[in-house]
Amino acid sequence: MPDLFAPYELKALTLKNRVVMPPMCQYAVSRQDGIPNDWHFVHYVSRAVGGTGFIIVEMTGVHPDGRITNQDTGIWSDEHIDAYRRLTDAVHTQGAKIAIQLGHAGRKAQDAEPPVAPSAIPFDAKSKTPRALSAEEITELVEAYREGARRAVEAGFDTVELHGAHGYLIHQFHSPLTNVREDEYGADPFLFGEQVARTVREVLPVEMPLLMRVSAKEYVEGGYDEAYALEFCRRYKAAGVDMFHVSSGGEGPIGSNGGPNAGPAYQVNLAEYIRSGLQVPVIAVGRLESYEEAQSIVTEEKAELVAVGRGMLSDPYWALHAQEALGGVDKANVPKPYERGIWKRK
């Protein structure tokens, strides 16, 4: 059986271990131009130094008004490419691979005037009422995803992840709670996500895998369940998605995700459900700070990869510490300047 520190391959993506740093917005673009700065460079490269096999950069806006806030990263212009190239080059020198998550916040874009969405339904009573997108604007946004992916490839990213979870734009289209359109995008709520996936797939190298993050369950009244999620994942797989990063919720207020059951590994069963239902590789995520828990998910073949978010915010060297706790660190995995640290080596 593979373990957490066994290599993994998906098409041309070759990872030294199964540990993933998932996308976590930093809200740190002080110039509001979408260009990652020294904060982002240190944040991501330090996790590569810390032994993480696969890093996924935070949700990056394909349109200026597609960011959650104006302090978020973007990739809507060729002017963004050089800063990302600096980041990908540095991560690669540490033996890690790096992806970028492309997204659009839709009705959850706090600084957009106004935000846009499939339908004019605000996120909550405190949020702005979004403007419903026209069919022409939807086509333009599909093209924005394509151009974002093209720039990502040029910037040296090893793969791309589409954000179809957590109540953002693709999720808003495929959720009955937020899409009440009367056109083709309402009749077929999976159409927008499918078009984005197909369009992005066209500009990626043939052997570069395409990832997608999805919410496999909604937790508010009237929300969809995992069987519904399996159906839209089936469509997205057919459109070119090679791996699903399985999360949940995001359509309701903070705290509704999983309710009282949102403890360690609370979403792993959802990842396993999508994996077995579609025979597709998955990334499990959600309160997986425990080294032993992360290890068991891989050894029990519930998921191919394990994403550790909060744990890596707390500890940039989570992967090395996990390897130490689970049997000892191979000296080859420790950066030479840190060899004098107290590491138990195999």
Side-chain angles (χ1 to χ4, degrees):
M1 292 293 184
D3 67 18
L4 193 60
F5 292 94
Y8 179 72
E9 293 185 11
L10 180 63
K11 290 188 169 179
L13 179 67
T14 301
L15 306 177
K16 65 181 180 180
N17 60 45
R18 312 297 183 97
V19 181
V20 180
M21 179 184 184
M24 295 175 283
C25 287
Q26 297 296 292
Y27 308 106
V29 183
S30 56
R31 294 185 179 181
Q32 302 188 16
D33 56 7
I35 298 175
N37 53 36
D38 286 348
W39 173 269
H40 303 89
F41 185 86
V42 172
H43 175 64
Y44 292 112
V45 177
S46 62
R47 273 67 186 182
V49 171
T52 306
F54 188 34
I55 293 166
I56 308 178
V57 170
E58 63 203 83
M59 186 174 88
T60 302
V62 298
H63 186 280
D65 285 342
R67 295 171 290 171
I68 303 169
T69 76
N70 286 347
Q71 285 74 45
D72 292 316
T73 53
I75 196 165
W76 63 81
S77 167
D78 285 357
E79 293 179 2
H80 295 103
I81 293 173
D82 287 347
Y84 288 116
R85 167 63 76 175
R86 175 176 176 249
L87 174 59
T88 60
D89 284 348
V91 166
H92 289 153
T93 66
Q94 301 303 318
K97 298 298 173 66
I98 184 168
I100 189 169
Q101 186 186 71
L102 301 181
H104 190 296
R107 68 176 187 168
K108 296 177 83 171
Q110 298 173 20
D111 292 333
E113 296 290 350
V116 295
S119 303
I121 303 171
F123 176 61
D124 57 27
K126 297 179 181 179
S127 300
K128 301 170 188 175
T129 298
R131 178 176 56 78
L133 287 158
S134 69
E136 181 180 0
E137 288 172 322
I138 292 172
T139 300
E140 291 171 353
L141 281 177
V142 172
E143 182 63 21
Y145 277 93
R146 176 202 292 268
E147 284 297 285
R150 175 189 63 79
R151 295 183 184 106
V153 172
E154 190 172 337
F157 284 99
D158 297 292
T159 187
V160 165
E161 178 174 277
L162 301 175
H163 202 342
H166 301 164
Y168 299 122
L169 190 63
I170 293 176
H171 183 165
Q172 289 164 31
F173 268 93
H174 65 225
S175 173
L177 294 172
T178 46
N179 182 355
V180 295
R181 299 177 68 92
E182 296 182 352
D183 62 0
E184 60 180 336
Y185 291 99
D188 181 358
F190 308 159
L191 179 60
F192 177 69
E194 180 182 60
Q195 289 178 335
V196 169
R198 288 193 187 282
T199 299
V200 166
R201 179 73 267 171
E202 289 172 359
V203 297
L204 300 184
V206 174
E207 287 303 307
M208 179 180 284
L210 175 60
L211 281 57
M212 189 173 198
R213 198 172 208 190
V214 294
S215 285
K217 185 177 182 179
E218 294 182 323
Y219 295 104
V220 299
E221 184 178 355
Y224 63 72
D225 60 12
E226 52 265 50
Y228 182 87
L230 188 69
E231 292 311 305
F232 63 67
C233 286
R234 192 184 310 278
R235 285 278 294 277
Y236 300 154
K237 178 185 177 185
V241 175
D242 298 291
M243 171 180 268
F244 290 97
H245 191 168
V246 184
S247 188
S248 62
E251 76 301 327
I254 293 173
S256 65
N257 286 23
N261 298 316
Y266 76 104
Q267 296 175 146
V268 172
N269 65 318
L270 297 173
E272 191 175 11
Y273 177 80
I274 298 298
R275 181 181 188 268
S276 62
L278 295 181
Q279 297 299 297
V280 65
V282 298
I283 304 173
V285 66
R287 306 294 300 275
L288 300 177
E289 295 91 347
S290 164
Y291 307 142
E292 293 75 18
E293 190 90 63
Q295 171 81 312
S296 68
I297 289 167
V298 176
T299 58
E300 295 173 15
E301 299 186 303
K302 296 178 179 179
E304 279 68 26
L305 305 178
V306 176
V308 180
R310 291 176 179 84
M312 283 200 195
L313 290 181
S314 174
D315 179 8
Y317 308 101
W318 187 95
L320 286 174
H321 289 140
Q323 194 171 11
E324 179 182 32
L326 295 170
V329 178
D330 186 333
K331 184 177 178 180
N333 293 327
V334 180
K336 187 174 180 61
Y338 290 175
E339 284 183 358
R340 287 173 292 180
I342 303 173
W343 303 98
K344 295 177 184 178
R345 298 188 178 91
K346 292 181 181 177

